[in-house]
Amino acid sequence: RAPTQFIHWSQQDGYWHLYLYDVNKGLVRQLTKGAWVVKNIIGFDEKESIVYVEGTDIIDPKMPQGAMDTHIYRVDIGSGKTMKLTKEAGTHSGQLGGGGRFIIDTWSSLSVPGRTDIIDAVKGTVLKTLVNSNDPLAQMKVGTVEFVRVLGENGDMLNARLIKPKDFDSRQKYPVLVYLYNGPHVQLVTNSFLGGSSLWMLHAAQRGYIVFTIDGHGSENRGKAFEQAIYRQLGVTEVKDQLRGVDFLKSLPYVDADRMAVHGWSFGGHVTTALMLRSPGTFKVAVAGGPVMDWGMYEVMYTERYMDTPAENPEGYAKSNLFNYVDNLSGRLLMIHGSSDDVVLWQHSLRYIRECVRKGKQIDYFVYPEHLHNVLGPDRVHLFEKIETFFNENLRDARTERP
């Protein structure tokens, strides 16, 4: 007989949760609930009476670090009883095996480089450790990665990551490199190896920078209200959150507020440029890659999901249109674009250059021929060399110590 029930994944109560429905009777029950987010469904046991999922830990607006973790949960479809199987904080990813008798749990955290365990699918007990990775950077000179919290624009605490050089000296004043994205469906700060940062950020720290990243409103895994705070005004609340991060940095005695740089790509390129225009003078130098300048020029499927149509939301489109703020440009801004970008079309930055020329504003610009929305392959080394050189040349007091 054909099954009559199905599981619906919805954010209707404010967080992504699972709901059991019957095709004839409608809603049977809400399976998961509470201030946490179901991120993925791993699978079912043999009898299809248990569903296994990946999800965040509990998220409190004042204690948001639960959003940085990913755990594996066992959910009883008959009762909705939910049990967290993974015990240690970190980012866990599960693969169901043995007909639902065990789970292969691959995970890491800020203090655990990487581990793969076989855990019991009923109790979560570790049955066997398959891999326990050593720190691949243990023999290298790398800095420290720390998690911090910052009060955001709407009163929520925001998760952030701070990277310091290996030979950090609190008596010195360091320039700052802020790396950001801050768009929908992206979370940069996670309780995983290196905290979600990349190797070039560690390299930048060893070159004498404090490297900072904050997940502001709009970024995922914090619940519907947090994510929808940017609705109909892309790039506005996000800039305010990033400036809250700047205020936090300025409160640190070892930060040189006169030598601050910012970099982002795509949505991050939009926010980077917006920071230079909405808060001129805050950052001395910026690099915006593949940046959206005007949401009215961006693809309809994405834009109208968050902004509605231009006819429905003319004020929102005007407020987020960066062509309207060219007169405010202060400091050194380098824009980078791939000539074959099929996501953020080349016209975005070309038109911005035209506006800068018309208004007498100087701007730096570089094109990667034939590259799409990002610069990949061997040319990516050239990209980061260009970004680093641009920052060093415009923040001349930055240390040039090599790792």
Side-chain angles (χ1 to χ4, degrees):
R1 194 174 73 177
T4 61
Q5 293 187 334
F6 63 94
I7 291 176
H8 178 53
W9 196 3
S10 170
Q11 204 176 14
Q12 61 188 273
D13 77 341
Y15 296 90
W16 286 109
H17 281 303
L18 303 184
Y19 296 78
L20 182 65
Y21 275 82
D22 186 280
V23 294
N24 298 312
K25 301 176 183 178
L27 177 65
V28 177
R29 68 180 62 86
Q30 182 174 349
L31 295 178
T32 60
K33 60 185 66 176
W36 63 287
V37 173
V38 175
K39 300 172 66 175
N40 187 34
I41 296 176
I42 299 173
F44 299 83
D45 67 348
E46 281 188 329
K47 297 180 180 179
E48 296 188 342
S49 61
I50 303 292
V51 58
Y52 295 92
V53 303
E54 296 167 356
T56 67
D57 211 335
I58 300 299
I59 305 167
D60 184 320
K62 298 185 184 306
M63 300 287 287
Q65 55 264 44
M68 298 194 304
D69 283 17
T70 301
H71 286 280
I72 300 172
Y73 295 84
R74 168 190 171 95
V75 182
D76 188 304
I77 296 175
S79 65
K81 181 179 179 181
T82 301
M83 175 183 177
K84 184 167 72 173
L85 295 176
T86 44
K87 314 300 182 187
E88 298 194 59
T91 299
H92 296 258
S93 177
Q95 182 178 347
L96 198 61
R101 292 181 292 110
F102 62 83
I103 296 170
I104 300 175
D105 172 24
T106 302
W107 66 283
S108 71
S109 69
L110 193 58
S111 59
V112 177
R115 189 178 301 171
T116 301
D117 298 320
I118 297 179
I119 64 174
D120 183 272
V122 177
K123 299 179 180 179
T125 307
V126 176
L127 304 176
K128 185 176 183 179
T129 297
L130 300 178
V131 177
N132 193 3
S133 301
N134 294 321
D135 184 349
L137 305 178
Q139 303 304 314
M140 302 185 70
K141 189 176 182 180
V142 296
T144 58
V145 181
E146 305 172 15
F147 293 136
V148 295
R149 314 277 176 256
V150 176
L151 183 64
E153 171 65 18
N154 292 355
D156 299 311
M157 295 302 293
L158 309 177
N159 293 319
R161 181 182 63 233
L162 193 71
I163 306 176
K164 299 175 182 176
K166 176 70 173 178
D167 299 323
F168 172 74
D169 183 349
S170 62
R171 297 168 297 180
Q172 290 194 31
K173 289 282 191 178
Y174 292 86
V176 174
L177 168 55
V178 174
Y179 177 76
L180 55 81
Y181 183 82
N182 210 163
H185 311 305
V186 174
Q187 179 184 11
L188 297 180
V189 184
T190 58
N191 187 11
S192 57
F193 183 54
L194 303 182
S197 63
S198 57
L199 294 178
W200 78 264
M201 297 179 189
L202 295 177
H203 168 78
Q206 282 312 105
R207 298 286 285 184
Y209 291 90
I210 299 294
V211 183
F212 180 77
T213 294
I214 187 170
D215 280 331
H217 288 86
S219 55
E220 67 178 353
N221 296 322
R222 288 288 302 273
K224 184 176 180 180
F226 185 90
E227 295 175 27
Q228 289 195 351
I230 67 174
Y231 181 50
R232 291 170 63 91
Q233 52 170 0
L234 292 182
V236 177
T237 300
E238 300 93 318
V239 164
K240 294 176 181 178
D241 282 335
Q242 294 297 326
L243 291 175
R244 291 295 186 106
V246 169
D247 290 340
F248 165 78
L249 290 167
K250 289 180 177 179
S251 74
L252 302 175
Y254 49 83
V255 162
D256 187 342
D258 294 326
R259 292 187 291 151
M260 302 186 74
V262 60
H263 169 50
W265 203 278
S266 192
F267 200 107
H270 173 84
V271 178
T272 294
T273 307
L275 282 163
M276 297 296 282
L277 302 178
R278 295 183 187 277
S279 185
T282 297
F283 291 97
K284 188 174 182 180
V285 57
V287 176
V292 175
M293 293 290 103
D294 174 7
W295 292 105
M297 296 170 58
Y298 194 59
E299 59 186 44
V300 172
M301 177 276 296
Y302 184 98
T303 300
E304 294 186 5
R305 180 190 305 155
Y306 306 110
M307 291 285 286
D308 291 333
T309 67
E312 293 168 324
N313 184 23
E315 182 180 346
Y317 277 84
K319 197 171 184 179
S320 62
N321 185 339
L322 299 185
F323 295 125
N324 294 332
Y325 306 95
V326 175
D327 287 331
N328 296 341
L329 181 60
S330 175
R332 296 295 299 274
L333 171 61
L334 168 63
M335 279 191 179
I336 301 176
H337 220 132
S339 67
S340 300
D341 194 330
D342 56 350
V343 178
V344 180
L345 301 181
W346 197 7
Q347 283 87 341
H348 281 262
S349 60
L350 287 177
R351 183 180 164 193
Y352 191 82
I353 294 173
R354 184 184 69 186
E355 293 299 316
C356 286
V357 172
R358 289 173 57 186
K359 297 190 175 184
K361 291 291 182 177
Q362 293 294 331
I363 185 174
D364 294 88
Y365 194 76
F366 194 85
V367 175
Y368 280 93
E370 302 176 2
H371 275 280
L372 299 175
H373 188 46
N374 214 317
V375 181
L376 305 177
D379 291 355
R380 195 163 181 81
V381 176
H382 185 279
L383 169 67
F384 282 108
E385 287 176 345
K386 174 160 287 295
I387 293 171
E388 180 182 349
T389 299
F390 189 73
F391 286 153
N392 288 340
E393 288 178 348
N394 290 283
L395 301 172
R396 294 186 183 279
D397 293 327
R399 291 187 297 168
T400 55
E401 168 192 356
R402 291 191 178 275

